């Protein structure tokens, strides 16, 4: 059982998503392997600060082309959709922790690329569901079956 101080520390880390931030920064550091890691990390934190202010251009380990590639690998028949299980496992593999468990298309077991990309990109930035940009809602409406 955690002491009150340990519990308070854990709550603080969870509330401010510190462990997720450190995990993301470590992943980016290992992926890019910059010659000057401290400068790289400072740059990523500065970019994150600016991105939070203007609500775009968040630093992220993967980009749109990576998401297209992952989706393409999963959509082997090129039907334009993947299954709910594929969607779930792909997002977990990408390190996205908080994503819609029943996204648009889940009822028919057909998750389209726009939904996959929107969930991956937005959820990777730790945006809370209530703050999902209208572009996500447009993608959901466009690809609802």
């Amino acid at each position: 059982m955690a002491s009150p101080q340990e519990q308070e520390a854990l709550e603080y880390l969870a509330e401010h998503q510190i462990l997720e931030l450190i995990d993301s920064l470590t992943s980016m550091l290992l992926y890019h392997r910059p010659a000057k890691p401290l400068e790289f990390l400072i740059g990523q934190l500065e970019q994150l600060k600016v991105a939070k202010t203007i609500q775009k251009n968040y630093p992220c380990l993967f980009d749109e082309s990576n998401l297209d590639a992952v989706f393409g690998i999963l959509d082997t028949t090129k039907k334009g959709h993947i299954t709910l299980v594929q969607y779930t496992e792909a997002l977990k593999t990408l390190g996205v922790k908080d994503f819609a468990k029943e996204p648009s298309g889940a009822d028919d077991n057909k998750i389209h690329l726009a939904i996959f990309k929107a969930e991956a990109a937005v959820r990777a930035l730790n945006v809370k569901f209530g703050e999902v940009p209208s572009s996500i809602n447009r993608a959901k409406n466009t690809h609802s079956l």
Side-chain angles (χ1 to χ4, degrees):
M1 176 138 203
S3 72
Q5 292 156 329
E6 289 173 326
Q7 186 60 38
E8 185 180 325
L10 291 172
E11 288 171 7
Y12 177 84
L13 292 172
E15 178 184 346
H16 296 285
Q17 300 177 331
I18 302 298
L19 296 177
E20 291 84 356
L21 175 63
I22 298 299
D23 184 45
S24 179
L25 288 171
T26 302
S27 296
M28 285 190 285
L29 188 64
L30 293 173
Y31 180 78
H32 294 287
R33 297 185 187 266
K36 297 182 178 183
L38 216 44
E39 288 180 21
F40 175 82
L41 291 172
I42 291 168
Q44 293 301 307
L45 290 170
E46 288 172 346
Q47 186 180 346
L48 181 61
K49 184 177 178 181
V50 169
K52 282 190 169 228
T53 303
I54 63 173
Q55 293 294 309
K56 64 181 189 176
N57 298 327
Y58 286 85
C60 192
L61 181 59
F62 49 85
D63 61 18
E64 190 169 346
S65 67
N66 299 130
L67 296 176
D68 287 333
V70 169
F71 190 89
I73 290 167
L74 296 173
D75 182 17
T76 56
T77 59
K78 306 299 179 219
K79 291 184 178 180
H81 58 80
I82 58 176
T83 68
L84 181 60
V85 170
Q86 289 173 315
Y87 157 88
T88 300
E89 292 306 312
L91 291 179
K92 286 180 184 177
T93 300
L94 290 169
V96 179
K97 298 177 196 249
D98 179 29
F99 56 89
K101 305 299 185 229
E102 296 288 325
S104 177
D107 292 339
D108 297 322
N109 204 27
K110 294 179 180 178
I111 312 302
H112 291 272
L113 177 60
I115 297 299
F116 174 74
K117 286 167 64 170
E119 282 294 324
V122 171
R123 302 303 175 187
L125 305 176
N126 295 318
V127 175
K128 292 180 176 59
F129 187 75
E131 300 170 358
V132 173
S134 59
S135 61
I136 299 282
N137 293 326
R138 283 195 304 272
K140 287 181 179 180
N141 292 334
T142 302
H143 294 285
S144 293
L145 298 175

